[in-house]
Amino acid sequence: MTSPVPASRIPEAVHRRRWAILGVLMLSLLIVVLDNSILNVAIKTISTPAPIGLGATQSEIEWAINAYTLVFAGLLFTAGLVGDRVGRKKVLLGGIAVFGIGSALAAESGSPGQLIAFRALMALGAAFVMPATLAVLMNVFERDEQPKAIGIWAGGVGLAIAIGPITGGALLDHFWWGSVFFVNVPIVIVALVLMTWLVPDSRDPSPGRLDPIGVVLSVVGLVLLVYGIIKGGELADFTDAKVLATIVAGLLVLAAFVVYEKRSDHPSLDVTYFKNKVFSAAMSAIALVFFALMGVTFFGVFYTQSVRGYSPLESGVLMLPLALAQLIFAPRARLLVERFGNKATTTAGLLLIAATLAVFATFEADTPIWLLEVVFFLMGTGMAHIMTPTSVVIMQALPREKAGSASALSNTFRQVGGALGIAVLGSVLATAYRNGIEGKLGALPAGLRDTAGESIEATLGVAARLGPQGRALITPANDAFLHAMHITALCGTGVALIGAVVTALFLPGKPPAGQKGEKESELVAAAD
């Protein structure tokens, strides 16, 4: 009989309060995920000149998003190992406290540079929260209850993605821009009290060794690469010596990271996994879909708020179909996989993403808003039918004992793909916008021309300062942004199509009838 073993592993007092512990874990995870989706609708407000916002340029907004994403992705593996070594409860409490302190400081930022720094501090805390919540969950639930608990845990993530834009919009309609960060503080305080009271500590009796050199190389390489890409978009010149030098330096550091990890006996990223073509194809699909979708979310906010004139709350509601489709279809995607296979399901999802991005390239200032809603819903549908199958493929491609590493890798590639999407597509948007608006700024004083050409918000900010004289800039600004958005959407379409080709070539087809059951259930849960 195997049942007495897990019973003795989990103390009775912990077993009795397991669902309350899950609730606390979901609360901590909720704010970590909520923060990114809340920020989406605040982008336009933060880029508005003071006193309403910080007057952040488009490149500074990109960094405010990517500072969080890159630090989070870079520390994810190390954070999990630290939790295994010193105790998951300690790491969870420390991570959520750092996240709360970073949130309070971000809310009071006096400049875009401060906001970027404090967002990085928030990510430092969040990186320790995400792996610790799942590790604690696995230690307080019996094996037969784990799939149900993980499903509820994953549902909390979906809920955060869905309510984030609406919550952010409601806060911005009634409070200052910093409220989207300050809202985290009271939740953090409640979570800390409940965690201290309810959550038991646990650790791995034989934890893996830390890889500080690998972590530093990966973060430095990614930051240099992203900085170079964003700087190129800001200058509208990717041939600039500083831009090229930074991009090349980033690529060289990342190459050094790969070589170091290959030779290390305790790598944070086991590059030998990528010799498996199926594993590499699935990872590429995850990275590419987030590359395309994060870029769309970035320019979609400016389209709905700057060009269409919707409030932050209305803009948040408009993005709801994207999250709603994921909530509806992500749990059901496995049914299509069972019928048609991973290859067909994932490739169809990427083709759907490509098609919706192509439709985005036709949007004008007077396009019926219901069409935008349909496009967002179809994007969410496509994403749901990519994330679940590819995550299952990733988990199946590696031995069962490597499931934790595979899950962390999937999350890391998702974050890095999103960061590069914002950097690359944001830079395409900035370059195309500057090229489109420059010819319309000749009447402005020389000192204002460069500022006004940075983004649509910068142009509209200058127009507002000039009063009646500046109204002539509004229509050219909208036209230049729409043209830039069309180019950016088509670039995203191309990326999604590349992903579809990769998955069609390398992902496995329909699995044999016998390969279903327990393993698949575990993998779908891990995918979420």
Side-chain angles (χ1 to χ4, degrees):
M1 296 288 290
T2 57
S3 55
V5 177
S8 62
R9 184 177 63 86
I10 300 172
E12 179 60 28
V14 172
H15 181 72
R16 280 200 308 268
R17 63 176 189 261
R18 65 196 184 283
W19 297 109
I21 292 169
L22 178 60
V24 178
L25 296 178
M26 284 179 63
L27 184 65
S28 62
L29 189 67
L30 183 75
I31 55 172
V32 170
V33 177
L34 191 73
D35 184 74
N36 257 354
S37 55
I38 274 184
L39 184 61
N40 286 339
V41 294
I43 290 170
K44 190 253 184 189
T45 306
I46 294 171
S47 64
T48 304
I52 295 172
L54 290 176
T57 64
Q58 184 169 302
S59 61
E60 287 168 337
I61 289 290
E62 290 173 41
W63 271 116
I65 299 170
N66 282 342
Y68 187 96
T69 304
L70 292 174
V71 171
F72 182 87
L75 294 178
L76 207 54
F77 282 101
T78 298
L81 287 172
V82 170
D84 291 345
R85 187 175 289 270
V86 306
R88 281 82 178 239
K89 181 175 182 175
K90 295 184 187 72
V91 164
L92 198 53
L93 288 169
I96 203 75
V98 169
F99 183 84
I101 291 166
S103 297
L105 292 171
E108 298 299 327
S109 298
S111 68
Q114 287 182 9
L115 177 61
I116 292 166
F118 295 140
R119 285 277 293 162
L121 180 63
M122 291 169 68
L124 175 64
F128 284 85
V129 171
M130 178 73 90
T133 56
L134 194 53
V136 169
L137 183 154
M138 299 299 280
N139 274 277
V140 299
F141 281 91
E142 305 289 5
R143 182 171 292 278
D144 61 334
E145 284 188 323
Q146 284 176 2
K148 182 180 178 182
I150 292 172
I152 295 171
W153 179 86
V157 177
L159 179 67
I161 293 169
I163 67 173
I166 297 174
T167 305
L171 288 168
L172 291 171
D173 270 9
H174 295 92
F175 305 103
W176 90 115
W177 66 266
S179 63
V180 299
F181 300 112
F182 196 77
V183 71
N184 295 330
V185 176
I187 303 174
V188 163
I189 293 170
V190 172
L192 283 171
V193 172
L194 292 174
M195 276 180 206
T196 304
W197 176 37
L198 289 170
V199 176
D201 203 0
S202 64
R203 65 181 71 195
D204 189 336
S206 53
R209 290 168 60 191
L210 301 180
D211 179 26
I213 295 175
V215 170
V216 170
L217 286 174
S218 64
V219 173
V220 169
L222 283 170
V223 168
L224 285 171
L225 177 62
V226 170
Y227 177 83
I229 293 167
I230 292 175
K231 192 67 178 176
E234 187 181 338
L235 298 174
D237 182 11
F238 283 88
T239 62
D240 180 85
K242 186 185 291 186
V243 170
L244 286 174
T246 309
I247 291 174
V248 170
L251 292 172
L252 288 174
V253 173
L254 289 173
F257 165 72
V258 171
V259 171
Y260 177 81
E261 295 298 283
K262 199 170 182 180
R263 295 179 177 178
S264 174
D265 60 354
H266 58 286
S268 57
L269 172 62
D270 191 340
V271 293
T272 60
Y273 293 167
F274 292 91
K275 290 179 180 177
N276 184 321
K277 289 181 181 179
V278 171
F279 180 86
S280 296
M283 280 295 187
S284 300
I286 283 178
L288 289 172
V289 74
F290 268 82
F291 181 102
L293 284 171
M294 289 295 284
V296 171
T297 305
F298 184 77
F299 67 66
V301 171
F302 288 105
Y303 173 70
T304 56
Q305 293 185 37
S306 299
V307 177
R308 302 300 296 259
Y310 288 100
S311 71
L313 177 56
E314 290 167 335
S315 181
V317 172
L318 287 174
M319 294 176 72
L320 194 56
L322 186 68
L324 193 62
Q326 291 179 60
L327 283 174
I328 293 170
F329 293 111
R332 296 168 176 81
R334 65 182 182 82
L335 300 175
L336 280 184
V337 173
E338 287 173 7
R339 183 163 184 179
F340 300 107
N342 285 303
K343 183 196 296 277
T345 305
T346 307
T347 304
L350 281 158
L351 289 174
L352 182 58
I353 294 284
T356 53
L357 286 167
V359 174
F360 226 115
T362 68
F363 283 2
E364 301 293 343
D366 57 354
T367 297
I369 204 64
W370 64 263
L371 187 56
L372 177 67
E373 297 299 270
V374 170
V375 165
F376 274 152
F377 186 82
L378 291 175
M379 278 184 175
T381 303
M383 189 174 179
H385 288 93
I386 296 164
M387 293 308 300
T388 299
T390 51
S391 297
V392 169
V393 167
I394 287 165
M395 305 300 280
Q396 287 178 337
L398 298 179
R400 187 184 292 271
E401 62 271 17
K402 300 292 184 183
S405 296
S407 182
L409 257 179
S410 174
N411 207 354
T412 300
F413 266 64
R414 190 184 312 181
Q415 300 289 339
V416 171
L420 289 173
I422 290 168
V424 174
L425 296 183
S427 294
V428 170
L429 186 73
T431 302
Y433 181 80
R434 186 181 284 274
N435 291 338
I437 197 68
E438 270 180 343
K440 315 291 183 182
L441 303 176
L444 293 179
L448 285 179
R449 273 181 228 153
D450 194 52
T451 302
E454 286 175 352
S455 66
I456 184 171
E457 276 308 304
T459 308
L460 296 177
V462 169
R465 271 184 276 161
L466 294 175
Q469 181 188 351
R471 283 182 198 147
L473 287 175
I474 294 175
T475 300
N478 286 343
D479 290 344
F481 177 82
L482 287 168
H483 175 67
M485 185 181 82
H486 295 162
I487 292 173
T488 308
L490 289 174
C491 288
T493 303
V495 169
L497 288 173
I498 291 170
V501 171
V502 170
T503 56
L505 288 175
F506 298 112
L507 284 195
K510 187 176 179 180
Q515 286 187 359
K516 293 184 175 80
E518 177 193 336
K519 185 176 182 181
E520 189 174 36
S521 300
E522 290 176 8
L523 300 176
V524 172
D528 295 323

